[in-house]
Amino acid sequence: MNTPLDGIKIIDFTHVQAGPACTQLLAWFGADVTKIERPGSGDVTRSQLRDIPGVDALYFTMLNSNKKSLTLDTKKPEGKEVLEKLIRESDVLVENFAPGALDRMGFTWERIQELNPGMILASVKGFSDGHHYEDLKVYENVAQCAGGAASTTGFWDGPPMVSGAALGDSNTGMHLAIGILTALMGRQQTGKGQKVSVSMQDAVLNLTRVKLRDQQRLEKIGYLEEYPQYPNGKFTDVVPRGGNAGGGGQPGWVLKCKGWEEDQNAYIYFTIQGHAWEPICRAIGKPEWIADPEYATAQARQDKIFDIFAYIETWLADKTKFEAVDILRKFDIPCAPVLTMKEIAEDKSLRESGSIVEVDHKVRGKYLTVGSPIKFSDLKPEIKESPLLGEHTDEVLKRLGYNDEQIAALHAAQAV
Ligand code: CAO
């Protein structure tokens, strides 16, 4: 198997989710990723939201597969010395500490360059350098609020809403991975490393760009035709929350299916693609709407869109979400069942494609995790277990030239 990042050495000085998601992806693709963790406790996610007492939590195991773990107190001189040696021999250092933490440890960008001019220093921060909030510590939902996602998500009569998808954390990690790979390509041309950073606010904003599009349209014409507020509701001067409306030019909504009264997820997402009006009418048993001028064009349908969705719900009333999709797919209608995490965990196709994988962990036993969403023709990443705290400390120290006596002394110096 070709693992293209073979030979790339990454110091993974990350914690929680945003940084670990980035380095895990690079480890899947072959990079040699060594995670540095504080002796005694390690990454806070090892012990957060535990389901088995004393065992690394799923939060940790699902973000740190295919890595090595080295315990190092980088505030002590002995720990700093090891980190310096690692920097000299590595290609990338990834970190997502609070602003200034790496500098306070003595590892400024200038110092890192002195140690290794080819080093790529990759950072996640809440806000970008120079931003008026640059000093803030940031977690997922803070970033979703600061990046425009929360004010545009949810229903118009409710509060701002955050998404269950990690737009602030894992998404920022994916952006950083692209930055690191770009800097590695750049280094092939110049021989020099560089500093790469992604702010969580920016990464969220990058995914919220259509709402910035809408803000400008709203300022120009005063309304947004694809939002549920149009044509009868009121628009203010900011992009409103759109409920479940389709964000593009195709109206869509979440529609009830058979069993919705008991099952909160007995719904499908239904899209009315403009050019698919004829097959939609045939699928839902309303052929008379095809040529009816009251329904035939997207514009004519606009003020009746919720009546149309209500009618489709009567058609769906005796069909499960899966039956409905099986009928609608034959008419080429973009739709999907609203899937629960239980259904996703049991989905045969996701298992076969490697998007959900079962991993065997030496202490926890078997658990499910998310595999690579990126598929290659010549690379099938093998998702391995996450390391125990400090599992590879001695191995890494030996590689760096430490003898048994020096290793024992380091352990003593770091004892907690
Ligand atoms: N040895 C010695 N010290 C260590 C260490 C080690 N191996 N690893 C970390 N530390 C120290 C840091 O140097 C820092 O010390 P100082 O505050 O004295 O400089 C200290 O541990 C705490 O680091 P922190 O401030 O980053 O950690 P926190 O738990 O207080 O904050 C977080 C966590 C995520 C809010 C903050 O790191 C942050 O804002 N990061 C940037 C944005 C980010 O990535 N957020 C996403 C997190 S995923 O949800």
Side-chain angles (χ1 to χ4, degrees):
M1 185 74 67
N2 172 24
T3 44
L5 298 187
D6 263 353
I8 300 291
K9 283 195 187 140
I10 298 184
I11 305 169
D12 179 13
F13 211 0
T14 71
H15 64 161
V16 205
Q17 183 175 165
C22 166
T23 48
Q24 174 174 259
L25 189 84
L26 301 174
W28 288 344
F29 301 159
D32 177 354
V33 176
T34 302
K35 186 173 174 91
I36 299 182
E37 297 183 81
R38 204 196 291 261
S41 50
D43 189 326
V44 69
T45 58
R46 284 191 186 266
S47 55
Q48 268 181 355
L49 311 176
R50 271 187 175 147
D51 56 329
I52 309 175
V55 175
D56 286 337
L58 287 166
Y59 198 2
F60 179 84
T61 62
M62 293 177 73
L63 284 157
N64 292 285
S65 56
N66 300 44
K67 303 181 185 177
K68 293 179 180 140
S69 168
L70 163 71
T71 42
L72 216 54
D73 185 335
T74 52
K75 283 190 172 165
K76 294 208 162 120
E78 297 85 348
K80 282 188 207 288
E81 188 189 294
V82 177
L83 182 54
E84 284 190 4
K85 286 198 160 94
L86 270 175
I87 291 173
R88 285 185 207 279
E89 62 139 56
S90 298
D91 301 285
V92 187
L93 189 159
V94 190
E95 63 91 23
N96 67 319
F97 290 122
L102 204 60
D103 293 353
R104 287 193 289 279
M105 273 180 223
F107 292 93
T108 60
W109 173 227
E110 292 68 31
R111 177 69 186 134
I112 290 169
Q113 280 175 296
E114 266 169 37
L115 293 166
N116 179 354
M119 174 60 75
I120 290 156
L121 170 62
S123 302
V124 168
K125 293 288 167 266
F127 294 88
S128 54
D129 280 351
H131 190 284
H132 57 275
Y133 286 149
E134 71 173 344
D135 56 322
L136 278 178
K137 290 187 174 184
V138 170
Y139 283 109
E140 172 66 54
N141 292 345
V142 178
Q144 289 201 29
C145 290
S151 71
T152 53
T153 302
F155 283 82
W156 43 93
D157 54 356
M161 188 66 67
V162 296
S163 165
L167 307 178
D169 282 341
S170 281
N171 169 45
T172 307
M174 299 305 104
H175 279 79
L176 191 66
I178 296 168
I180 291 169
L181 296 173
T182 306
L184 282 167
M185 298 286 285
R187 196 179 67 174
Q188 283 175 6
Q189 290 160 16
T190 64
K192 284 202 310 213
Q194 60 179 308
K195 205 171 152 189
V196 186
S197 54
V198 183
S199 87
M200 295 168 73
Q201 181 190 37
D202 289 352
V204 173
L205 173 60
N206 194 29
L207 299 195
T208 321
R209 65 176 60 215
V210 293
K211 303 297 179 181
L212 185 58
R213 170 200 71 190
D214 295 347
Q215 183 62 37
Q216 295 172 82
R217 291 168 58 222
L218 184 66
E219 281 166 18
K220 201 148 252 161
I221 57 176
Y223 64 91
L224 298 165
E225 66 193 64
E226 75 282 24
Y227 281 67
Q229 291 81 350
Y230 181 83
N232 301 318
K234 275 210 167 77
F235 286 89
T236 66
D237 61 350
V238 301
V239 175
R241 291 189 264 290
N244 285 313
Q250 347 286 340
W253 204 253
V254 165
L255 301 181
K256 293 168 184 155
C257 296
K258 184 177 162 186
W260 67 272
E261 297 90 339
E262 291 83 41
D263 177 359
Q264 285 194 322
N265 295 297
Y267 287 79
I268 60 167
Y269 198 87
F270 190 100
T271 313
I272 302 185
Q273 232 186 341
H275 64 263
W277 182 239
E278 187 175 330
I280 288 171
C281 295
R282 291 196 198 291
I284 62 174
K286 274 282 184 190
E288 65 272 24
W289 278 355
I290 296 172
D292 184 339
E294 285 292 304
Y295 289 89
T297 64
Q299 205 179 3
R301 290 191 292 272
Q302 220 146 36
D303 61 348
K304 306 175 200 64
I305 205 77
F306 281 97
D307 298 332
I308 294 171
F309 288 138
Y311 171 76
I312 300 174
E313 284 188 335
T314 63
W315 178 80
L316 289 166
D318 63 350
K319 298 167 190 72
T320 67
K321 60 185 177 184
F322 297 109
E323 288 165 352
V325 169
D326 277 343
I327 296 170
L328 297 171
R329 70 198 294 191
K330 296 195 183 96
F331 291 86
D332 230 5
I333 295 167
C335 62
V338 171
L339 293 179
T340 64
M341 288 318 291
K342 184 170 164 45
E343 287 159 347
I344 284 174
E346 290 163 0
D347 188 303
K348 232 175 113 225
S349 298
L350 290 174
R351 297 289 186 102
E352 280 166 10
S353 67
S355 296
I356 299 234
V357 288
E358 192 174 70
V359 178
D360 202 0
H361 183 272
K362 58 175 75 66
V363 182
R364 155 176 293 281
K366 290 192 192 320
Y367 66 97
L368 291 183
T369 193
V370 174
S372 174
I374 305 168
K375 313 294 181 195
F376 302 86
S377 62
D378 194 23
L379 165 67
K380 191 162 190 320
E382 189 194 342
I383 313 299
K384 301 181 191 153
E385 65 181 337
S386 59
L388 300 178
L389 179 61
E391 186 176 342
H392 305 92
T393 302
D394 292 3
E395 176 190 318
V396 174
L397 292 174
K398 277 187 185 146
R399 190 185 78 206
L400 292 174
Y402 284 75
N403 62 32
D404 290 343
E405 210 176 308
Q406 290 166 318
I407 292 173
L410 188 76
H411 283 305
Q414 298 199 130
V416 283

